[in-house]
Amino acid sequence: METGYITTPFGRRPMTLALVKRQVKTEQAIADGSVDKWRVFRDISDARSRLGLQDRALAVLNALLTFFPVAELSNERNLVVFPSNAQLSARTNGIAGTTLRKCLGSLVEAGVIIRKDSPNGKRYARKGKEGNIEDAYGFSLAPLLARAGEFASLAQDVAAEQRRFRITKDRLTIVRRDVRKLITVGMEENLAGDWIAAETCFVEIVGRFVRHPTLQDLISSLDEMSLLHEEVSRMLEIKEETAKSDGNAIPDGCHIQNSNTESCHELEPRSEKKQGEKSEPNKKTERKDEPEAFPLSMVLRACPEINAFGPGGSIGSWREMMSAAVTVRSMLGVSPSAYQEACEVMGQAGAAIAIACIYQRGGHINSAGGYLRDLTGKARRGEFSLGPMLFTQLRANSGTVKASA
């Protein structure tokens, strides 16, 4: 296979297999025709994140292009430019020599230019009798000609990703606003439903926002916030249906989570609990067992299989949910001590949610007890929260429903 002559760098600069491959690829890809050097430069600038180039490296590339005498890059011309470091520094507003060398190295590593070093490492050109350049040593711009189409494609991909980023960010802002205001309506109008749970869930999702998000971060946050929006909308729709049939909201239904704060040992005894201990331990348990993390309806949509263990084959309250979790815990082979530890760290509602998720994903988990202990340990260290686990299961179930429909 004809690959042309492979050149190596001068001095202590190493030659790598990657540099060899780039030279070979450039020789094979270069073809007849020409490209506008400044158009290729704009494409590289737009795709700099994909190429791993910083702004200063682009400034050095811009300076190198100014030493090429014409705007069109063509294989009919000598594509090697040979400015000295002093000349390059002057055309990059006095960039320091160390920084200049690093930028040139990054351009070589990105495959934008190729070194063509002379025997002594200096950059110069030899001219013939007619004044034409016969041979030159410096930096070859051949990759700009050979990879022009690739750079243009990368620039288009980056532009499309940036557009998608802006669209996703706008959608997230709108859904976040809608959820915030809908929850406020439910709470201020004293409507029946797990509004405090929805509020807590909203705060948890917002708390996972990062300062400089990637597109994937925005997609994940939008997905979770959209699921919460769907749940809040369901709560409002249920209220409308109840109002049509009944006319009056049920006063006791406004804070469902506050009516199910019985201590953990009522559903599964704690081995260290003494019969005479009531006030302080009960207060502590009540605080942990308040099911304010997520709306119950959302948990049941994410983990519908636990419904079968409720009275009559359905679960209608947090107390029934916790009782069902104890039954499922035993079926899964989770020890009482492991479940009790989960209750102490996550609260009984949190432990019940974890058990429901584990049961829902039973075919993918080898040891339910070990998995729960691992989650408990991470939760104790602040490395785990139920939100992502629950939302992942909710998305999985939504996909299954859509596929079967």
Side-chain angles (χ1 to χ4, degrees):
M1 180 182 293
E2 182 63 32
T3 60
Y5 186 81
I6 298 176
T7 181
T8 60
F10 171 80
R12 291 179 294 178
R13 287 192 295 266
M15 185 64 180
T16 65
L17 181 59
L19 293 177
V20 173
K21 289 181 177 179
R22 289 194 189 104
Q23 288 191 37
V24 172
K25 186 176 180 180
T26 298
E27 290 286 344
Q28 293 175 339
I30 199 166
D32 295 335
S34 62
V35 295
D36 188 304
K37 64 181 181 181
W38 297 119
R39 192 176 91 180
V40 179
F41 176 76
R42 287 193 296 272
D43 290 338
I44 293 174
S45 298
D46 292 340
R48 61 184 178 274
S49 60
R50 300 286 184 88
L51 297 169
L53 296 175
Q54 302 295 327
D55 291 344
R56 287 196 172 188
L58 293 176
V60 173
L61 177 59
N62 181 82
L64 284 173
L65 291 176
T66 62
F67 287 98
F68 192 75
V70 296
E72 296 291 322
L73 296 173
S74 170
N75 61 358
E76 296 178 357
R77 302 180 64 92
N78 190 311
L79 294 175
V80 177
V81 292
F82 41 90
S84 66
N85 282 357
Q87 290 173 315
L88 282 174
S89 179
R91 295 200 185 184
T92 52
N93 299 321
I95 190 172
T98 303
T99 304
L100 176 62
R101 287 189 290 273
K102 288 182 179 179
C103 291
L104 289 170
S106 65
L107 289 171
V108 172
E109 286 296 322
V112 175
I113 60 175
I114 293 176
R115 291 184 189 274
K116 186 181 178 184
D117 288 348
S118 66
N120 61 2
K122 301 296 183 180
R123 302 173 201 146
Y124 59 87
R126 286 197 178 97
K127 296 184 178 180
K129 294 181 180 179
E130 299 179 358
N132 296 328
I133 295 177
E134 291 184 344
D135 202 3
Y137 299 98
F139 298 102
S140 172
L141 303 179
L144 300 182
L145 177 60
R147 301 179 64 189
E150 179 185 347
F151 293 142
S153 178
L154 285 175
Q156 292 173 4
D157 289 346
V158 170
E161 185 174 319
Q162 290 175 345
R163 181 175 180 274
R164 190 180 178 195
F165 182 93
R166 291 192 296 269
I167 292 174
T168 305
K169 188 175 181 180
D170 289 345
R171 288 177 179 172
L172 177 58
T173 300
I174 293 172
V175 176
R176 177 184 177 180
R177 179 193 66 200
D178 292 344
V179 171
R180 173 67 276 171
K181 293 192 174 184
L182 291 176
I183 292 175
T184 301
V185 168
M187 297 180 76
E188 290 184 351
E189 296 293 333
N190 205 28
L191 303 179
D194 295 344
W195 296 108
I196 294 181
E199 168 85 4
T200 305
C201 185
F202 173 81
V203 172
E204 181 178 342
I205 295 173
V206 174
R208 288 197 295 272
F209 287 3
V210 295
R211 187 168 185 177
H212 300 290
T214 63
L215 175 60
Q216 191 55 47
D217 291 332
L218 291 179
I219 292 174
S220 178
S221 297
L222 176 60
D223 198 4
E224 292 183 351
M225 195 65 75
S226 297
L227 289 171
L228 181 58
H229 183 278
E230 181 181 345
E231 189 62 33
V232 172
S233 299
R234 285 172 183 267
M235 292 164 63
L236 290 174
E237 289 172 3
I238 291 173
K239 170 58 186 175
E240 289 183 2
E241 292 174 0
T242 304
K244 289 179 181 178
S245 60
D246 194 355
N248 293 314
I250 302 174
D252 295 335
C254 296
H255 300 288
I256 295 177
Q257 71 283 355
N258 290 335
S259 63
N260 297 297
T261 56
E262 289 83 354
S263 60
C264 182
H265 71 279
E266 290 186 5
L267 294 179
E268 182 162 321
R270 297 172 182 264
S271 58
E272 73 276 9
K273 181 74 69 175
K274 295 182 181 178
Q275 187 173 0
E277 295 176 352
K278 291 184 178 180
S279 58
E280 244 354 85
N282 284 346
K283 183 185 296 184
K284 184 176 181 181
T285 303
E286 183 177 4
R287 184 172 60 254
K288 288 183 178 180
D289 292 343
E290 288 180 352
E292 297 181 352
F294 305 95
L296 178 60
S297 56
M298 176 183 286
V299 175
L300 295 178
R301 283 200 300 121
C303 309
E305 292 186 11
I306 200 171
N307 265 304
F309 299 93
S314 63
I315 294 175
S317 68
W318 273 106
R319 178 167 180 77
E320 292 176 357
M321 174 70 182
M322 296 173 193
S323 179
V326 174
T327 303
V328 173
R329 185 277 303 165
S330 179
M331 290 179 54
L332 292 173
V334 176
S335 66
S337 61
Y339 187 70
Q340 178 177 312
E341 185 179 4
C343 286
E344 291 172 352
V345 175
M346 305 180 194
Q348 188 169 351
I353 293 172
I355 287 291
C357 289
I358 292 173
Y359 183 69
Q360 190 70 30
R361 299 181 56 212
H364 304 281
I365 299 173
N366 294 327
S367 173
Y371 189 72
L372 181 63
R373 285 191 184 277
D374 183 59
L375 295 182
T376 302
K378 289 181 178 179
R380 182 182 287 108
R381 297 189 300 270
E383 300 173 358
F384 169 76
S385 62
L386 289 166
M389 182 181 186
L390 188 62
F391 282 119
T392 298
Q393 191 58 51
L394 194 58
R395 285 194 295 270
N397 286 354
S398 298
T400 302
V401 171
K402 289 179 182 179
S404 61

